Amino acid sequence: MKALVYEDKGRIQVQDRDIPTPAAGELLVRVSHTGICGTDLHVWHGGMKRVKPPVILGHEFSGVVEQAGSSSSEFEQGDRVTVEPLITCGVCPACRAGFYNVCSNLKLLGVDTDGAMAHYVVVPEHRTYRLSDRLSLKDAAFVEPLAVCVHMVERSGLESGQTCLVVGGGPIGLITAFAARLKGANVLISEMNAYRIQLAQGYGFDVINPLQGDLRGKIRDATAAKGVDVSFEATGSPQGTTACVENTGIRGTVAICGLPKQLHEVDTYQFIAKELSVYGSRVYTRSDYEQALALIESGRFKPEWLISRTVSLDEAIEHGFEAIQRGDALMKVLISLENEAGR
């Protein structure tokens, strides 16, 4: 099979690989679609020290079961599926408490072990979801990033009628904005990129460009000087964290999921003075995945809103990774493997 492999810092390449064999409790999935995520770019640039190359990238995906590792499997060849790409230990305090998403030994397909930017991938059966006929394989590749955002919104305690600020209008930020609006919240987005601003405004979001005015003043005007009830940080930047802290009102909530590229200072006095709550948000739980599936199946969230381009595996580096890195007018790029030859 072909696979897109992270070889070393700054170096990725499409290679020939052997098709893996599933063990008991695992499934071999023939990949249909895989999303390119900010985490994949982070790995590409050597920003995740835990990654031990060579490793096949890709953790947002859908596909069809090719083979089960056990005759007692609940899945059959031909089942259409999507997968939580998490590998957990099951024995650490977090796992025993039911919080497997923060497992002390958490591993991720496409980061810590081979992932889905390949014709085939081996996955844990207990993290696999059978798809209904209403859901296309292309759309099902969007369940994973939507689940990330559903988890963050649920973790924050955001309620219908509240006002929230999403800092960052990239894929995770914009999906979070959709998830918050589906929750019934009033959503403000802070974003500087002209393409992202135009896209978000096209879907009816109120977007503030902090480079073109006083973000804090505009939010005070929009909230009658109260500040927002909840803020979501989706950039991983010091400026993003500061914007959340400054613009969240008394006894409000700051939710953080943007991966920081470096340590940065936070004005902790603001947490004291305003009695703010802060929540970290890491991946998702089963209930988040089920909710994300239901939102896409029902049509309340449409992946087509954010899919800018679909490429083949051979095109993925030039027209996916490098295009995103250049800052081309793209929101989400999918790699399609469903019609490739030699499978």
Side-chain angles (χ1 to χ4, degrees):
M1 68 175 187
K2 287 184 177 181
L4 200 161
V5 179
Y6 168 65
E7 297 180 317
D8 203 348
K9 182 179 180 180
R11 193 167 75 242
I12 54 178
Q13 185 179 41
V14 176
Q15 300 179 359
D16 290 325
R17 285 290 193 95
D18 291 335
I19 297 173
T21 302
E26 295 179 333
L27 302 170
L28 178 66
V29 172
R30 179 162 43 92
V31 179
S32 174
H33 290 80
T34 305
I36 299 177
C37 172
T39 299
D40 298 316
L41 272 73
H42 203 38
V43 173
W44 174 31
H45 293 301
M48 296 187 73
K49 303 303 180 185
R50 78 191 215 212
V51 181
K52 307 299 181 188
V55 65
I56 300 171
L57 298 176
H59 60 274
E60 308 173 356
F61 63 99
S62 63
V64 178
V65 173
E66 183 75 13
Q67 179 186 349
S70 170
S71 60
S72 60
S73 172
E74 296 181 0
F75 290 85
E76 298 178 353
Q77 185 178 32
D79 283 345
R80 301 162 65 256
V81 297
T82 188
V83 180
E84 280 185 62
L86 306 183
I87 300 172
T88 57
C89 71
V91 298
C92 71
C95 284
R96 291 201 304 269
F99 306 124
Y100 67 85
N101 62 308
V102 287
C103 168
S104 299
N105 304 293
L106 185 67
K107 292 181 172 58
L108 190 71
L109 296 176
V111 175
D112 304 286
T113 188
D114 284 341
M117 289 186 185
H119 290 147
Y120 295 91
V121 61
V122 166
V123 304
E125 180 173 332
H126 68 291
R127 299 276 185 248
T128 302
Y129 297 75
R130 190 179 283 105
L131 303 176
S132 76
D133 293 338
R134 297 189 304 275
L135 188 58
S136 71
L137 286 168
K138 184 176 182 179
D139 285 353
F142 232 91
V143 175
E144 197 274 350
L146 179 56
V148 168
C149 302
V150 166
H151 180 71
M152 182 157 61
V153 170
E154 293 298 324
R155 183 109 172 89
S156 74
L158 181 69
E159 298 179 357
S160 178
Q162 290 187 321
T163 299
C164 69
L165 169 68
V166 179
V167 177
I172 291 298
L174 189 50
I175 299 170
T176 298
F178 277 112
R181 187 160 71 182
L182 287 169
K183 195 78 174 177
N186 304 307
V187 183
L188 304 170
I189 299 175
S190 173
E191 174 56 52
M192 299 178 290
N193 178 278
Y195 166 74
R196 292 175 173 181
I197 291 172
Q198 183 179 22
L199 185 65
Q201 288 176 334
Y203 286 113
F205 289 106
D206 189 354
V207 186
I208 303 168
N209 185 344
L211 297 180
Q212 297 180 353
D214 178 13
L215 175 65
R216 193 170 183 180
K218 290 181 178 180
I219 290 178
R220 285 177 62 84
D221 290 344
T223 61
K226 295 187 299 183
V228 298
D229 300 292
V230 178
S231 59
F232 299 100
E233 206 300 301
T235 70
S237 70
Q239 297 88 348
T241 302
T242 297
C244 285
V245 173
E246 287 183 347
N247 291 294
T248 303
I250 299 297
R251 290 202 163 192
T253 298
V254 177
I256 300 174
C257 84
L259 292 176
K261 298 174 179 61
Q262 62 188 43
L263 294 176
H264 51 261
E265 294 182 357
V266 178
D267 183 3
T268 55
Y269 176 73
Q270 294 294 321
F271 291 98
I272 299 167
K274 295 192 286 187
E275 289 196 339
L276 299 178
S277 298
V278 61
Y279 287 96
S281 182
R282 190 178 191 187
V283 289
Y284 28 70
T285 64
R286 175 166 289 271
S287 63
D288 302 315
Y289 233 77
E290 290 172 344
Q291 185 176 340
L293 260 173
L295 287 171
I296 297 176
E297 284 184 340
S298 67
R300 296 184 67 204
F301 178 88
K302 297 182 183 297
E304 65 192 50
W305 294 337
L306 283 87
I307 297 172
S308 305
R309 176 182 292 173
T310 301
V311 300
S312 69
L313 190 63
D314 287 328
E315 296 171 328
I317 296 174
E318 180 181 358
H319 298 293
F321 282 80
E322 292 176 353
I324 296 169
Q325 182 63 28
R326 283 195 305 268
D328 289 4
L330 299 167
M331 181 57 63
K332 195 69 176 178
V333 177
L334 291 187
I335 301 171
S336 173
L337 298 105
E338 63 178 352
N339 295 316
E340 290 201 1
R343 289 179 40 169

